[in-house]
Amino acid sequence: MPVAGLLSGRFGSVERRWRGGSQAALPADRLPPHVAIAAVALSIAATAVPLALILAPELRGQIAPPRFANLMLGLLLSFPAAVGLAAALSGLRWLSRFDSGAGAIYEAAVLRILVAAMLFSHAAVIGVLSAPSPAGARMLLTAEAGLVVGWLVLLALLMRLTASIWLRRCATVIDASVLAVFLHFGGQDAAGWYPVYLLLIVYGGFRFGVGALVGNAALAVLGFGAVAATTAFWQQQPALTAECGIALLLLPVLAQAPVRAIAEARASAATAEHGKSRFVAVLAE
């Protein structure tokens, strides 16, 4: 089985490359509880959207032309299947280190899919309860596009097709853009999803440092600024729009100090762990 061996070797070495081969992989039957929860949530997000499009043809009918709707459905079925195959070949070892730098990148990829699934659920409920409209169809299509991008990013991480840091940055730009388009087309119906911008800023800062905090804040301000300038609902609510914009500007300023403190604590812990490893190695020699 040369092909199977090649695939197993490629995916099986993902964790060794991330972790430098310094620690043994966790057995498949000893995954931490939060990993199992993440796997279950990811499975639900993987199956809910295609099933909704199949069982509720009126949702798929809102996307024109029909061939494009069928293409999106095919992508939403094929990408999760590809991710599942990659995870099966790697033995889910890539999920076993959520507390490491590599694990944070995978964690962000999983959260991206879950948020996109929630956006799709919101758009689907709006499409079912209200009469079909061009704005609702575009909102639904935007959520589907966000899901497709999320699965594609996770698949690229699993297969190590590109440098993870650049993939994360590009994916963050797409996240801010997708949310801006969703808020624009959704108008009043989608305004409640504005806090996702706040989540983007806070999560990026506490997980990836001050650079990510500032970068995500800049993307959020640009995205929400475009929404406020082009969406009738936000133009009709100048006080609310101004308050939301000020929140996006103040949040990185207020969160900068704790983010720096956490980054310094992580650096100190990494230095102590490195010194401990060297000490143990010297004793062993």
Side-chain angles (χ1 to χ4, degrees):
M1 298 287 289
V3 176
L6 177 62
L7 290 176
S8 299
R10 176 155 182 85
F11 290 111
S13 60
V14 169
E15 186 192 21
R16 288 192 296 272
R17 285 196 296 268
W18 277 116
R19 300 167 61 185
S22 59
Q23 300 180 27
L26 289 176
D29 58 348
R30 293 184 59 188
L31 293 176
H34 63 276
V35 175
I37 295 174
V40 171
L42 198 59
S43 301
I44 294 174
T47 57
V49 176
L51 285 178
L53 291 175
I54 294 173
L55 298 177
E58 62 273 12
L59 292 179
R60 195 169 29 155
Q62 294 183 28
I63 303 174
R67 291 183 178 179
F68 189 72
N70 294 333
L71 173 62
M72 294 298 294
L73 177 59
L75 292 177
L76 289 174
L77 288 170
S78 59
F79 279 157
V83 169
L85 176 61
L89 291 174
S90 64
L92 290 179
R93 288 191 297 269
W94 55 279
L95 277 174
S96 62
R97 291 285 290 175
F98 265 4
D99 293 332
S100 66
I105 296 175
Y106 285 119
E107 181 185 78
V110 172
L111 289 177
R112 178 178 297 108
I113 294 173
L114 295 179
V115 171
M118 289 189 290
L119 293 179
F120 174 85
S121 301
H122 176 85
V125 171
I126 295 296
V128 171
L129 297 181
S130 62
S133 64
R138 291 168 185 153
M139 186 169 58
L140 187 66
L141 179 60
T142 302
E144 287 188 42
L147 265 175
V148 170
V149 170
W151 285 112
L152 184 60
V153 169
L154 183 56
L155 182 61
L157 283 174
L158 279 175
M159 299 184 66
R160 294 301 302 273
L161 297 179
T162 183
S164 59
I165 184 171
W166 288 107
L167 182 62
R168 176 177 62 82
R169 290 173 178 173
C170 293
T172 304
V173 174
I174 296 175
D175 293 341
S177 303
V178 168
L179 182 58
V181 175
F182 188 85
L183 291 176
H184 170 71
F185 288 135
Q188 181 178 355
D189 293 332
W193 290 100
Y194 155 82
V196 176
Y197 274 130
L198 303 178
L199 174 64
L200 184 69
I201 296 173
V202 173
Y203 179 82
F206 281 101
R207 260 315 195 184
F208 303 105
V210 177
L213 176 73
V214 176
N216 290 8
L219 290 174
V221 170
L222 290 176
F224 182 72
V227 172
T230 59
T231 308
F233 169 77
W234 292 101
Q235 292 174 354
Q236 296 169 0
Q237 306 286 337
L240 177 63
T241 303
E243 291 172 358
C244 292
I246 292 173
L248 292 177
L249 293 174
L250 288 181
L251 182 59
V253 177
L254 298 176
Q256 187 173 5
V259 167
R260 289 186 182 277
I262 291 177
E264 292 174 358
R266 288 174 177 169
S268 300
T271 302
E273 183 65 24
H274 180 67
K276 177 182 176 182
S277 300
R278 292 189 61 183
F279 178 74
V280 173
V282 170
L283 288 181
E285 291 178 357

